[in-house]
Amino acid sequence: MVVNSANPSLGEFDLIDRYFARSKTATQRPDVILGVGDDAALLRVPADTELVVAVDTLVAGRHFPPDSDARSIGHRALAVNLSDMAAMGATPAWATLALTIPAADTHWLDGFSAGLMNLADAHGVALVGGDTTAGPLTVSIQILGVVARGSALRRSGAQAGDILAVTGTLGDAGAGLALVTARLATPDGAVARELVERFEYPTPRVSFGSRARGIASAAMDLSDGLVGDLPKLATASGLAAHVDVERLPMSRAMLSLVPAAQAREWALAAGDDYELLVAVPPRRFDELAAAARQLNLTLTAIGELRPGNGVTWALEGSPFTVPVHGYDHFR
Ligand code: ADP
Ligand code: MG
């Protein structure tokens, strides 16, 4: 495709060459037989593995404020895909990028490519191809990873009696987004920075996902909020889920910012946290929590899986009505 460049000196192929053909990792990974530059990439998949594939799209104005920092957009576009690999217990290896931009703005591209490439290099992921088109800002990344045959984590593996647990803290990204969009303000600069960072630069839990293979019975990542996502895991496993809302892990930063009821609402439903939700047999919980600790991550039990279907919520032992629903693009 041809980019209608606002800057005539930077055409489509110069743009690709300058920003996306120089993935450090792509030149280092021996399994990249052909990367950017041909009609398609050629990758060598190890014989004893399964290929794990996911794609996620970020649309300006829908997944991030249109005036977001370009570096954050690049980071998030890859982070949400790495999070899908984490949820499968897979090791991410390669990615392709379909980038639609209104203009070939070099200032924007500098930031975007730095955000994307820094995170890719940090995870040893090679950018091996893509497509560049002119149009409303939309970033679509396809991620490819590998997992030892038969060992991927699924949503469907949970058993009745398993503990439900989440990594990290929930709701911070929702609080960060409220700060970014100026629906909320705080004089505490450190708190604001911490929460905004959680929205703009989420940390995909790739190492933890890997460690959870063979211990957790089911996993998924939390992109749409617990209220929206937990029913998907429960339904896939053919079970009911119960959550004690007072156990939800929430950051000091978020709790210092708003009343507990608002914090709880963000933790339940704001989404964009990219923490992992796992089901784990009770006898193996300590082992998984220890693995998390080694990664400087907390793992918090929030409830359990039970025979039946549907999700029930309790606060201090009383039934709790969840205030809001998870994100759905078409509702
Ligand atoms: P084609 O005409 O075969 O679609 P393109 O002209 O679109 O190829 O792209 C040329 C090369 O650059 C291809 O190898 C493609 O994978 C790569 N490429 C294009 N856009 C990007 C991008 N945004 N990021 C990474 N690689 C890209
Ligand atoms: Mg193309």
Side-chain angles (χ1 to χ4, degrees):
M1 291 290 296
V2 176
V3 169
N4 289 319
S5 175
N7 171 356
S9 67
L10 189 66
E12 178 186 350
F13 301 103
D14 294 335
L15 185 163
I16 295 165
D17 187 54
R18 168 147 25 143
Y19 294 103
F20 303 117
R22 292 155 195 276
S23 157
K24 197 167 83 210
T25 306
T27 59
Q28 287 168 354
R29 286 190 74 106
D31 52 13
V32 178
I33 303 163
L34 259 184
V36 171
D38 211 306
D39 290 307
L42 272 179
L43 308 168
R44 189 175 288 122
V45 183
D48 47 352
T49 64
E50 284 159 1
L51 185 62
V52 187
V53 183
V55 63
D56 256 319
T57 299
L58 298 190
V59 178
R62 181 153 287 261
H63 298 96
F64 56 86
D67 58 351
S68 289
D69 188 30
R71 181 184 284 267
S72 157
I73 298 169
H75 176 102
R76 283 187 84 229
L78 183 60
V80 302
N81 280 283
L82 290 171
S83 181
D84 285 326
M85 291 288 113
M88 302 301 290
T91 304
W94 315 288
T96 59
L97 164 68
L99 179 64
T100 303
I101 42 178
D105 173 341
T106 53
H107 179 68
W108 189 90
L109 283 162
D110 284 339
F112 175 82
S113 63
L116 176 71
M117 293 304 198
N118 288 347
L119 186 63
D121 288 340
H123 286 268
V125 168
L127 183 65
V128 294
D131 196 28
T132 307
T133 56
L137 179 56
T138 304
V139 187
S140 196
I141 291 183
Q142 180 185 52
I143 186 104
L144 303 110
V146 294
V147 69
R149 216 172 260 179
S151 75
L153 292 167
R154 304 177 185 205
R155 296 178 178 184
S156 58
Q159 303 291 315
D162 282 354
I163 291 174
L164 272 172
V166 294
T167 58
T169 54
L170 302 182
D172 297 334
L177 181 60
L179 289 164
V180 165
T181 54
R183 277 180 284 133
L184 190 74
T186 172
D188 190 332
V191 161
R193 269 192 303 281
E194 179 181 333
L195 296 171
V196 167
E197 175 117 350
R198 290 272 286 158
F199 174 76
E200 292 188 330
Y201 295 93
T203 307
R205 305 304 186 188
V206 176
S207 301
F208 178 79
S210 256
R211 293 293 301 272
R213 261 186 295 122
I215 305 176
S217 54
M220 72 182 297
D221 73 323
L222 293 172
S223 54
D224 296 339
L226 194 63
V227 169
D229 287 330
L230 174 56
K232 298 171 191 166
L233 185 144
T235 302
S237 292
L239 293 169
H242 176 82
V243 172
D244 295 311
V245 172
E246 71 277 5
R247 300 165 86 181
L248 297 181
M250 296 189 281
S251 71
R252 251 173 234 229
M254 180 174 71
L255 289 168
S256 77
L257 192 64
V258 289
Q262 172 66 78
R264 234 169 7 234
E265 185 169 324
W266 279 330
L268 284 165
D272 290 325
D273 285 317
Y274 299 101
E275 296 295 346
L276 291 188
L277 169 69
V278 295
V280 56
R283 67 192 159 77
R284 303 205 67 184
F285 180 81
D286 289 347
E287 187 185 344
L288 195 56
R293 257 194 314 278
Q294 284 177 357
L295 299 166
N296 274 323
L297 196 58
T298 56
L299 182 70
T300 307
I302 60 167
E304 64 176 8
L305 289 145
R306 298 172 175 174
N309 60 68
V311 180
T312 54
W313 309 85
L315 182 63
E316 314 285 1
S318 302
F320 179 78
T321 307
V322 286
V324 267
H325 297 285
Y327 195 76
D328 181 328
H329 280 277
F330 297 102
R331 285 204 182 125

